Amino acid sequence: MSFQVFGIPVSRGVAIGRAVLVASSRVDVEHYFIDPAGIDAEIRRALRARDEVAREFEALKQDLPGDAPHELAALLDVHLMLLHDEALLGATRQWIVERHYNAEWALSAQLEVLARQFDEMEDDYLRERKADLEQVVERILSALAAQQGRKGGGAAAVVQRDFAGEDPLLLVAADIAPADMMQFKRSVFHGFITDIGGKTSHTAIVARSMDIPAVVGTREASRLIRQDDWVIIDGDAGAVIVNPSPIVLEEYRFRQRQSELERARLARLRHTPAVTLDGERVELHANIELPADALAAVEAGATGVGLFRSEFLFMNRGGELPSEEEQFEAYKAAVEAMRGMPVTIRTVDVGADKPLDRLSASELRHEHVLNPAMGLRAIRWSLAEPSMFRQQLRAIYRASAFGKLRLLIPMVAHLNEIRQIQEAIKRVQQQLTDAGQAYTPVELGVMIEIPAAAVMLPLLLRHVDFVSIGTNDLIQYTLAIDRADESVAHLYDPWHPAVLQLIASSIAQARAAGKSVSVCGEMAGDAAFTDLLLAMGLRNFSMHPSQIPSVKQRILRADSSRLAMALPAVLASEDPEKAAELVLVSAQRTHH
């Protein structure tokens, strides 16, 4: 039966494929295809892990004391029975044979099928056995991970393989943590569907960076969609169509082809300079998460990296922080890949929607903070961990010897924070000088993402070389909205008059002070805002590489001087929709 689920469209385009359901707690299970020649070996891996867990259960039964409750032995018997049930391992074998899934992925896929069956049982006792099944599967996954020489089921590199006849796959989950999302970059999945999240939740941001369709905030998708269902993701309308009719399927396949043709047409602009009709040159920089992303930035025609999110070097590491040498090599690789173009590295921005799997002593005291978005995060965390912060600064300064580097500090709200940062920089410079290690001058910038920073910008500008406006958090904090909470996601409004006023005044003040200013939040990569930001005087945009072509096309068709004349009317508008309409009307006038 065909049905639709609606959510928030966060990454445009159409994706068609089979659903892969993954529980949030198991997203970090390895997902990759195996070669046909390796199928038998993969089945043996699964059976070895099953037998190992069976031996553990048998040993536990043998070691039970004589006065142990009878229920304990009965529970172990239930687990043994589930372990040997053909519905678990037999069906897991089928996923391996027919779909070429690796053992961990196959086991997780079958668990989702069985869990749904348990949920639909009328008998309370039988329904509650789902928890036993999950415990059994977690033990098998741990045994499989141990075979690979790891503790637990940590994420590994995702391998992309193409097999004739394989259907495209779409990931369906209640939620996906930022660290887990990173392993799906260049992965086997062609689209994402989540129950929770908003336009600027990290799942949405990574989906856009991968240039694949995604719908978030669907609330019920992971419960309604079944493993292996045929699904269409309409990333433009925020619709998910499950088991579509042949007519609907053909319509969306046609839209897919049209989208691919448009993408190819825009790609031809790659080497065209971004210059407005009235001769204003605009820098289009890229946001990247990992050094390898710099290559995609160059391919897309970026003229620099406006935001290197260094926190992703700190994630999926089992609690270990990256060493100074490891960070240095990563920053150096990004700088060298950009071939002399500037690279702006943001210091580690963890907390809120990007927690580390390591808690420091200072974080332990804040473990039960009710609102992590306003807690110990970003520069606050770095200043609370001075040795970690200095280590990152040393790595950045050492990499500066290999190209043009800029240092960007997130979530600054106090002048005292700037002074502490400058002191840390002086100390690091002295350490490098004493050690005879080369470095070059590095410009210091701050992110404007807290309203307080926007209001006190004239004071901040006296102490920094440049500013970068992070619109995602600026909107969140200005409107007091958790951007990852789908229940208030509809109130997250980039067109809100207060937001527009803060952005416009920040750009104007930075330009008046002779300091460079960029926008690196999601607004920069949304072509719907290009004319507005040009009107405000912005000449440096930073976005995901995949968004550069569409924004460049908008710039090439714009007359910035005429847009600027329309700006006062836009900022005076009472309603965001009216503001958008005015901007579009003014832009249309310049195109004729």
Side-chain angles (χ1 to χ4, degrees):
M1 182 186 75
S2 180
F3 63 91
Q4 294 186 38
V5 179
F6 293 93
I8 301 166
V10 294
S11 187
R12 296 178 178 179
V14 172
I16 303 170
R18 289 192 181 275
V20 175
L21 266 73
V22 183
S24 298
S25 62
R26 287 180 291 278
V27 170
D28 68 349
V29 164
E30 292 177 307
H31 292 76
Y32 59 86
F33 292 123
I34 57 171
D35 287 310
I39 286 174
D40 289 342
E42 199 67 11
I43 292 171
R44 286 196 296 274
R45 275 189 70 221
L47 293 176
R48 270 202 315 275
R50 191 264 322 262
D51 293 343
E52 184 180 326
V53 174
R55 286 194 293 273
E56 288 176 10
F57 287 152
E58 292 289 359
L60 284 170
K61 276 185 68 177
Q62 294 295 326
D63 292 342
L64 281 176
D67 58 351
H70 171 69
E71 290 80 9
L72 208 50
L75 183 61
L76 287 170
D77 285 334
V78 168
H79 282 199
L80 279 164
M81 180 185 70
L82 290 169
L83 192 62
H84 291 289
D85 193 326
E86 190 65 15
L88 181 59
L89 263 294
T92 296
R93 186 187 294 111
Q94 274 185 285
W95 288 107
I96 296 172
V97 171
E98 295 175 11
R99 300 295 291 276
H100 301 152
Y101 288 1
N102 64 300
E104 290 89 343
W105 186 0
L107 189 62
S108 295
Q110 185 56 21
L111 173 59
E112 299 304 325
V113 171
L114 296 175
R116 185 69 58 85
Q117 293 174 6
F118 275 101
D119 285 338
E120 292 171 356
M121 290 176 179
E122 293 184 7
D123 185 282
D124 289 344
Y125 174 80
L126 291 175
R127 196 163 56 243
E128 288 169 6
R129 299 285 66 75
K130 183 177 85 165
D132 296 317
L133 177 67
E134 289 175 334
Q135 289 170 18
V136 167
V137 170
E138 293 295 344
R139 277 184 172 267
I140 301 174
L141 289 172
S142 293
L144 284 166
Q147 289 177 11
Q148 305 288 77
R150 296 188 314 278
K151 296 175 184 176
V158 178
V159 180
Q160 174 71 65
R161 289 278 174 81
D162 292 320
F163 290 96
E166 286 291 344
D167 299 318
L169 302 175
L170 311 180
L171 182 67
V172 183
D175 189 22
I176 310 173
D180 294 326
M181 275 298 294
M182 294 311 298
Q183 70 159 309
F184 293 127
K185 293 193 80 169
R186 305 175 195 86
S187 74
V188 296
F189 297 110
H190 290 70
F192 298 107
I193 303 165
T194 63
D195 293 349
I196 67 175
K199 267 193 179 296
T200 54
S201 62
H202 208 81
T203 304
I205 292 171
V206 174
R208 281 192 289 272
S209 76
M210 294 166 66
D211 198 21
I212 61 174
V215 175
V216 303
T218 59
R219 294 175 181 261
E220 297 287 309
S222 70
R223 188 180 65 81
L224 297 173
I225 299 172
R226 296 177 181 273
Q227 198 80 264
D228 240 26
D229 274 350
W230 273 103
V231 174
I232 296 171
I233 297 177
D234 184 338
D236 299 301
V240 176
I241 304 161
V242 185
N243 296 321
S245 66
I247 294 174
V248 171
L249 193 59
E250 188 48 45
E251 178 190 337
Y252 274 96
R253 289 200 191 282
F254 174 75
R255 282 180 53 183
Q256 250 186 339
R257 291 191 291 271
Q258 292 296 104
S259 179
E260 286 163 8
L261 288 171
E262 173 66 9
R263 200 173 274 131
R265 188 181 66 79
L266 287 175
R268 292 199 291 269
L269 298 174
R270 184 167 62 237
H271 300 301
T272 304
V275 181
T276 64
L277 292 173
D278 55 327
E280 287 286 314
R281 186 178 179 88
V282 180
E283 298 296 331
L284 295 181
H285 289 181
N287 296 344
I288 67 173
E289 277 93 25
L290 297 169
D293 298 338
L295 298 174
V298 172
E299 280 295 307
T303 54
V305 168
L307 177 64
F308 181 158
R309 295 183 172 100
S310 67
E311 56 270 15
F312 289 98
L313 299 175
F314 289 68
M315 293 180 174
N316 282 339
R317 304 179 57 89
E320 294 297 318
L321 294 178
S323 66
E324 178 184 326
E325 199 62 31
E326 186 180 342
Q327 289 187 65
F328 161 68
E329 291 294 342
Y331 305 145
K332 177 188 169 191
V335 169
E336 291 180 334
M338 292 309 294
R339 305 168 190 170
M341 292 181 281
V343 174
T344 303
I345 299 176
R346 182 175 69 186
T347 57
V348 60
D349 183 8
V350 294
D353 64 337
K354 289 173 289 186
L356 285 187
D357 41 8
R358 165 191 180 270
L359 283 177
S360 67
S362 57
E363 286 175 290
L364 284 169
R365 293 194 295 273
H366 298 79
E367 190 174 359
H368 302 295
V369 170
L370 294 177
N371 192 342
M374 295 187 179
L376 190 69
R377 56 167 295 202
I379 189 57
R380 300 169 182 177
W381 185 74
S382 293
L383 292 175
E385 298 280 350
S387 60
M388 180 283 302
F389 187 43
R390 286 194 299 272
Q391 185 181 66
Q392 181 172 34
L393 290 176
R394 278 195 302 272
I396 291 171
Y397 268 82
R398 286 173 59 195
S400 72
F402 296 86
K404 188 175 181 182
L405 259 189
R406 305 201 308 168
L407 178 66
L408 182 61
I409 309 296
M411 209 177 172
V412 167
H414 302 272
L415 279 177
N416 188 47
E417 291 168 335
I418 298 284
R419 295 189 185 101
Q420 291 180 70
I421 292 160
Q422 289 171 331
E423 287 173 11
I425 288 171
K426 285 179 185 174
R427 185 169 174 182
V428 161
Q429 289 174 327
Q430 189 60 53
Q431 288 174 341
L432 294 176
T433 300
D434 293 345
Q437 291 183 310
Y439 66 91
T440 59
V442 174
E443 289 187 350
L444 175 65
V446 293
M447 290 196 73
I448 305 303
E449 50 192 341
I450 297 176
V455 172
M456 67 181 286
L457 187 54
L459 291 176
L460 291 175
L461 287 169
R462 297 176 194 170
H463 301 272
V464 299
D465 302 303
F466 69 97
V467 294
S468 188
I469 302 171
T471 54
N472 303 350
D473 271 336
L474 184 61
I475 296 165
Q476 169 174 256
Y477 292 128
T478 301
L479 302 182
I481 291 166
D482 182 349
R483 57 192 173 100
D485 183 348
E486 79 282 1
S487 64
V488 292
H490 63 287
L491 297 173
Y492 182 93
D493 185 7
W495 289 105
H496 192 287
V499 171
L500 300 186
Q501 291 284 353
L502 286 174
I503 295 171
S505 66
S506 296
I507 294 171
Q509 289 178 89
R511 284 170 61 95
K515 303 292 175 76
S516 68
V517 55
S518 68
V519 170
C520 62
E522 291 301 298
M523 282 176 71
D526 188 338
F529 291 97
T530 303
D531 290 343
L532 174 68
L533 293 172
L534 287 172
M536 291 177 177
L538 187 71
R539 298 296 180 264
N540 191 317
F541 295 64
S542 190
M543 66 204 73
H544 297 295
S546 64
Q547 297 168 319
I548 289 175
S550 59
V551 171
K552 183 182 285 187
Q553 177 180 255
R554 197 69 179 248
I555 290 168
L556 294 171
R557 294 175 177 177
D559 185 319
S560 63
S561 57
R562 294 195 181 183
L563 287 170
M565 287 189 287
L567 183 64
V570 173
L571 296 180
S573 174
E574 293 181 357
D575 125 29
E577 290 186 14
K578 184 66 175 175
E581 183 186 336
L582 284 168
V583 170
L584 292 174
V585 167
S586 66
Q588 286 167 352
R589 281 204 303 268
T590 66
H591 296 163
H592 295 289

